[in-house]
Amino acid sequence: GEPTLSKDLALHIRHARALGFEEIEVQTNAVLLDRPLAAAALREAGLTRAQVSLHQRSAEVSDRLTAAPGTHQRSLRGIDALLQAGVRVLLNHLIFVDNAPLLLDFVDMVIARWGVYRESLVVQFHSPRNEFTSREEGLRHVPRYADYAPRLRMAIDRARAAGLHVRDLQDPTG
């Protein structure tokens, strides 16, 4: 589930730190980290990294992909807060039929919004695999690799040229 829903998350992070864990990561949508000082409190507790799912620059496309209308802008602000607090962020960008044509737009947004944090930011492109209840549903939402590979290469090259750390496509399908 979403770890930021736990009112005890900072306590859990402090406990992990007290046990000697040096790297502590949460996987989150960052929506609840848009609240004042929420990300800073987790960093103070010992959080070092956050993996945040972010699938598009556009709120319309993102909210449709996540089926959580109204959360996109809050996720962006949560990522802002994490980076400002000194937490390293991995942006996990799942590639769907709806956002595959927009890979360069996504990279441009990341560069414009968070380029100054390039040392604390990793962009990971990921092909969804197990997010669907049936093979048919997956085929409706997952693009063929051949259909977006050239655009993905351009997006990766653009991100690297701007000094961003990029993980190439994880779990390619096609």
Side-chain angles (χ1 to χ4, degrees), residues 37-49:
L37 305 178
L42 295 181
R43 176 65 181 131
E44 185 179 308
L47 182 68
T48 57
R49 296 188 307 228

Side-chain angles (χ1 to χ4, degrees), residues 95 100 103 127 142-153 169 172-174:
I95 301 171
L103 290 168
S127 180
V142 179
R144 289 175 39 83
Y145 179 66
D147 293 341
Y148 69 87
R151 197 172 309 106
L152 175 63
R153 174 50 48 203
L169 184 66
T173 61

Side-chain angles (χ1 to χ4, degrees), residues 55-130:
H55 309 309
Q56 192 39 26
R57 169 187 205 151
S58 147
E60 176 188 347
V61 174
S62 180
D63 288 352
R64 184 171 62 247
L65 290 173
T66 61
T71 60
H72 180 71
Q73 291 302 318
R74 292 187 69 195
S75 289
L76 295 177
R77 291 191 304 268
I79 295 165
D80 292 342
L82 286 163
L83 290 166
Q84 290 164 7
V87 175
R88 287 177 283 157
V89 173
L90 183 147
L91 295 176
N92 189 40
H93 183 80
L94 289 175
I95 301 171
F96 295 98
V97 168
D98 287 353
N99 66 357
L102 306 169
L103 290 168
L104 291 168
D105 292 343
F106 176 77
V107 168
D108 289 343
M109 183 267 302
V110 171
I111 293 167
R113 188 166 187 136
W114 299 304
V116 69
Y117 297 104
R118 66 180 51 87
E119 293 304 317
S120 300
L121 186 67
V122 174
V123 176
Q124 172 177 276
F125 294 100
H126 201 93
S127 180
R129 292 186 309 159
N130 300 319

Side-chain angles (χ1 to χ4, degrees), residues 5 21 155-156:
L5 290 172
F21 288 94
I156 290 170

Side-chain angles (χ1 to χ4, degrees), residues 3-77:
T4 60
L5 290 172
S6 171
K7 62 180 176 45
D8 296 324
L9 182 57
L11 292 173
H12 296 307
I13 292 170
R14 273 193 201 88
H15 182 68
R17 196 57 130 176
L19 291 174
F21 288 94
E22 295 177 13
E23 297 290 326
I24 301 170
E25 176 180 291
V26 295
Q27 294 182 7
T28 179
N29 59 23
V31 169
L32 294 178
L33 298 177
D34 77 330
R35 297 173 298 173
L37 305 178
L42 295 181
R43 176 65 181 131
E44 185 179 308
L47 182 68
T48 57
R49 296 188 307 228
Q51 184 178 135
V52 182
S53 296
L54 187 65
H55 309 309
Q56 192 39 26
R57 169 187 205 151
S58 147
E60 176 188 347
V61 174
S62 180
D63 288 352
R64 184 171 62 247
L65 290 173
T66 61
T71 60
H72 180 71
Q73 291 302 318
R74 292 187 69 195
S75 289
L76 295 177
R77 291 191 304 268

